[in-house]
Amino acid sequence: MELEIKNLLKQQGFSATKTRMAVLGAILKMQPASMQQLISALPDVDRATVYRTVDLFVELNIAKKVHTGFKYRVELSDSFQEHHHHLTCLRCGTVLDVHTPEIEYAIDQTASSNGFRPVRHDLEIIGYCAQCS
Amino acid sequence: MELEIKNLLKQQGFSATKTRMAVLGAILKMQPASMQQLISALPDVDRATVYRTVDLFVELNIAKKVHTGFKYRVELSDSFQEHHHHLTCLRCGTVLDVHTPEIEYAIDQTASSNGFRPVRHDLEIIGYCAQCS
DNA sequence: CTACTATTGCAATTTTGTCGCAATTTGTTA
DNA sequence: TAACAAATTGCGACAAAATTGCAATAGTAG
């Protein structure tokens, strides 16, 4: 995975620097990761650089920003892992990943029946997990 | 609508002040409205008051925060208008409201099949509208 | 190795959101 | 309606989050 992305960066004319690889590593390890989490996990990388690197990753479609609760978090884009949604627990904060064809289908149907051509979508489900219910 | 909410406020032990009604009016007119939009639309209301008022509305389930693009916006809660989702056009910025039972059903199914008790959800569809496709 | 370009850290700044408190407004009671 | 108590608001300071310009550094090609 790291190698694949390293090549993608070079291919697009960007360097696969240690710093960028460090940010990538943190995203891989913590996803979905908030900016604050990434920043604290990378004490040797400047805050501004973390922001700029994440923005670069988003532009290159390596990562994407999703919402869990009321702030966005960063995770690998759908090109590098299966498209999925998050179930966020209000009590313990656990984030569960789910993939459901039915939801995808319903979303596409709804969009096209409105003459809308969907590019992407973002679904966030908030509630209580099995343990906290 | 304003009257209904005025009564709800009083009923809950809060005053329906001019300031609060002004914030409500701005939400009604601009929804979904970003905090910055609300703040600029209400030059005579202090920034802190706008935040406090929106928070109060959210607590009382008069308004809710939703995501369109990458910051949250404020709109009336589902108690005062039909639950819906947004189709946001990348080109012209139009936001289309849609309501689809199929999506709701699929979301509930997915949540419960994971032992998750959903409280609310937020779906945002990004793409191109009929005119801009 | 040298020279050029991209990347990074740093510091300053902007934007966003919060807090305590004094002043004002609102609601109540007489 | 006058006056008091409680709720609400504005103000100013502050804190946190995000962005920017620029100089120093690291990466890359020849």
Side-chain angles (χ1 to χ4, degrees):
Chain A
M1 173 68 72
E2 274 92 344
L3 186 65
E4 201 177 338
I5 291 173
K6 215 169 199 167
N7 289 333
L8 176 64
L9 277 169
K10 292 185 176 172
Q11 197 180 310
Q12 301 283 335
F14 296 94
S15 315
T17 64
K18 288 175 189 174
T19 307
R20 283 180 182 151
M21 289 304 108
V23 174
L24 175 62
I27 294 174
L28 285 172
K29 199 186 307 171
M30 312 167 66
Q31 64 172 330
S34 69
M35 290 310 284
Q36 297 316 312
Q37 287 177 317
L38 290 179
I39 290 166
S40 348
L42 298 161
D44 295 339
V45 180
D46 190 78
R47 199 157 32 93
T49 301
V50 177
Y51 281 107
R52 284 187 284 225
T53 305
V54 167
D55 285 348
L56 177 68
F57 285 175
V58 170
E59 267 174 42
L60 296 182
N61 201 33
I62 289 169
K64 62 174 179 174
K65 296 175 177 178
V66 297
H67 293 285
T68 62
F70 279 115
K71 38 180 149 179
Y72 71 84
R73 289 175 189 238
V74 180
E75 66 175 18
L76 280 191
S77 80
D78 297 347
S79 315
F80 294 99
Q81 65 178 352
E82 195 178 26
H83 172 72
H84 64 270
H85 299 293
H86 299 284
L87 298 174
T88 306
C89 182
L90 282 169
R91 184 137 157 278
C92 65
T94 306
V95 178
L96 202 63
D97 290 353
V98 290
H99 170 70
T100 327
E102 287 75 27
I103 293 181
E104 305 306 313
Y105 180 76
I107 289 173
D108 285 346
Q109 282 298 306
T110 297
S112 45
S113 74
N114 281 278
F116 199 90
R117 183 162 54 85
V119 170
R120 63 171 206 269
H121 62 254
D122 192 2
L123 168 65
E124 164 197 7
I125 304 174
I126 308 287
Y128 295 95
C129 72
Q131 283 71 37
C132 295
S133 263
Chain B
M1 174 66 76
E2 275 94 343
L3 186 65
E4 200 176 340
I5 291 171
K6 216 169 200 169
N7 289 333
L8 176 65
L9 277 168
K10 291 184 177 172
Q11 198 179 309
Q12 302 282 336
F14 295 95
S15 314
T17 64
K18 289 175 189 177
T19 306
R20 282 179 183 152
M21 289 304 107
V23 175
L24 175 61
I27 294 174
L28 284 172
K29 199 187 306 171
M30 312 168 63
Q31 65 172 332
S34 70
M35 291 310 282
Q36 295 318 310
Q37 287 178 317
L38 290 178
I39 290 166
S40 348
L42 297 162
D44 295 339
V45 180
D46 191 80
R47 195 158 38 99
T49 301
V50 177
Y51 280 107
R52 284 186 287 224
T53 304
V54 167
D55 286 349
L56 178 68
F57 286 173
V58 170
E59 267 176 41
L60 296 182
N61 201 34
I62 289 170
K64 62 174 179 173
K65 295 175 177 177
V66 298
H67 293 285
T68 63
F70 282 116
K71 35 179 147 181
Y72 71 84
R73 290 173 188 239
V74 180
E75 67 175 16
L76 280 191
S77 80
D78 297 347
S79 314
F80 293 98
Q81 62 179 353
E82 196 179 26
H83 172 71
H84 63 271
H85 299 294
H86 299 282
L87 298 175
T88 305
C89 180
L90 283 170
R91 182 134 159 281
C92 65
T94 306
V95 178
L96 200 65
D97 291 353
V98 290
H99 170 70
T100 323
E102 287 75 27
I103 293 180
E104 305 306 314
Y105 180 77
I107 289 173
D108 285 348
Q109 282 300 306
T110 298
S112 45
S113 75
N114 281 277
F116 199 90
R117 183 162 53 84
V119 170
R120 62 171 203 273
H121 63 254
D122 192 1
L123 167 66
E124 167 198 2
I125 304 173
I126 308 287
Y128 295 94
C129 73
Q131 284 71 35
C132 296
S133 263

